[in-house]
Amino acid sequence: KVTVSVLYCVVRPGMAKPVGSELEFNVAPGLPPIRVSQRIDSMVVGQGVWNAGVALPFWLAKNANLIRGKRVLELGAGCGQAGIAAAALGASEVLVTDQAEVMGHLQRNAERNAVAVPNVAAAELDWGLAVPGCLKEHQTTEADTEDATSEVTPQWCPEVLGKQWDVILCADCCYGEDSVVPLTCTLRLLRKLCGASTVVMAHDDRNERATALLAAEMDKYWTTKQFPLAKVAKCMPPDDDPAVRCDGAHVPLRCEQSMHFYVLRAPFNAG
């Protein structure tokens, strides 16, 4: 067993989702703006920017020591703004990943920022399908179950498996209950296979049952400490700061009482 640190952020409806097609993030003074496109008319959810994905780059900017000089892997990167922000903030290498249907969009956003933020690559990783063996432990009684991650070798691309990763980013990865267990199994496998010892996760509470299941899964492997709201608010730009623009218009970011950040620190069962 090893120690793993996790930021677990629950963002409830208090932040407006940007509804335009072109977004610009100015996450910290002196850094180049991060520009990404989204497809708001797409049925593919990964081609849009969602609430927790808006908040995470600004949290990283205030906690850059966590990623500076580190290799960072983002799961379910979508439009890629969090991973690109991590690179701009000093990560030594960043790999943004998502499902095949999102990859063209994600790759274009990475390339769009490549001149100012060159250390970002994109690769396919469908964590929802990668760990079927892990699910066995959720289909047996606890008394009969051993950690299934010890028996699984996922079919992930060499860009993921070929390196050791220090930090994993996740934002808005769980939209329903069916995605929770594959995500948490993937995090455990990444620790076992790639050495990832820190996870930064932002989760938007759209589905109470999914959020409850995610919390229960986390509690199996981590203990939870909640950030005071005042500290969370300090990570977000003030309402009058045009840190996020959508099709050129200022998008105010508000830290509502419904926004929750947690740190999870505990022995992590890596198998």
Side-chain angles (χ1 to χ4, degrees):
K1 291 186 176 182
V2 298
T3 299
V4 170
S5 302
V6 182
L7 167 78
Y8 175 33
C9 153
V10 179
V11 184
R12 294 188 182 136
M15 295 175 58
K17 179 185 183 302
V19 296
S21 58
E22 299 292 326
L23 288 94
E24 179 179 297
F25 293 81
N26 294 279
V27 297
L31 293 183
I34 295 164
R35 296 184 174 94
V36 299
S37 63
Q38 66 171 348
R39 293 186 58 189
I40 57 175
D41 58 341
S42 174
M43 295 300 292
V44 180
V45 294
Q47 293 183 352
V49 174
W50 300 86
N51 293 352
V54 173
L56 184 53
F58 294 98
W59 189 91
L60 291 173
K62 296 296 186 180
N63 296 272
N65 60 305
L66 186 68
I67 54 175
R68 190 174 293 118
K70 304 293 180 62
R71 286 178 168 170
V72 176
L73 172 69
E74 184 177 9
L75 302 181
C79 295
Q81 70 280 353
I84 297 169
L89 289 162
S92 62
E93 181 179 358
V94 174
L95 182 66
V96 290
T97 68
D98 213 311
Q99 299 175 348
E101 59 191 354
V102 182
M103 281 309 302
H105 189 71
L106 178 57
Q107 181 71 53
R108 285 189 293 273
N109 279 335
E111 292 172 352
R112 183 178 184 179
N113 292 273
V115 173
V117 190
N119 54 329
V120 180
E124 181 181 345
L125 194 160
D126 188 344
W127 50 262
L129 302 175
V131 287
C134 287
L135 303 184
K136 294 178 182 177
E137 64 184 288
H138 294 271
Q139 300 168 354
T140 59
T141 64
E142 184 175 349
D144 297 333
T145 299
E146 295 182 357
D147 184 0
T149 63
S150 62
E151 303 173 0
V152 174
T153 302
Q155 299 301 308
W156 291 338
C157 64
E159 291 91 339
V160 173
L161 288 176
K163 295 180 179 178
Q164 294 290 295
W165 299 101
D166 303 306
V167 180
I168 304 171
L169 303 180
C170 313
D172 283 315
C173 283
C174 294
Y175 293 87
E177 296 169 80
D178 58 341
S179 58
V180 171
V181 170
L183 177 62
T184 55
C185 285
T186 297
L187 295 175
R188 295 161 62 195
L189 277 168
L190 285 168
R191 174 62 189 94
K192 175 182 174 63
L193 300 174
C194 303
S197 59
T198 298
V199 179
V200 178
M201 179 184 294
H203 171 68
D204 193 336
D205 185 11
R206 300 181 183 86
N207 179 316
E208 290 185 1
R209 295 183 64 177
T211 298
L213 178 59
L214 181 60
E217 284 293 299
M218 290 294 182
D219 285 343
K220 291 180 183 179
Y221 309 106
W222 298 275
T223 55
T224 305
K225 176 183 178 181
Q226 185 172 1
F227 271 91
L229 183 64
K231 288 188 177 181
V232 178
K234 290 179 180 179
C235 294
M236 301 299 124
D239 284 355
D240 59 354
D241 183 348
V244 178
R245 292 184 178 276
C246 190
D247 288 345
H250 171 213
V251 179
L253 302 182
R254 296 181 177 86
C255 187
E256 305 284 351
Q257 289 288 339
S258 57
M259 182 183 293
H260 302 276
F261 277 69
Y262 303 88
V263 168
L264 290 76
R265 299 179 185 275
F268 178 89
N269 187 356

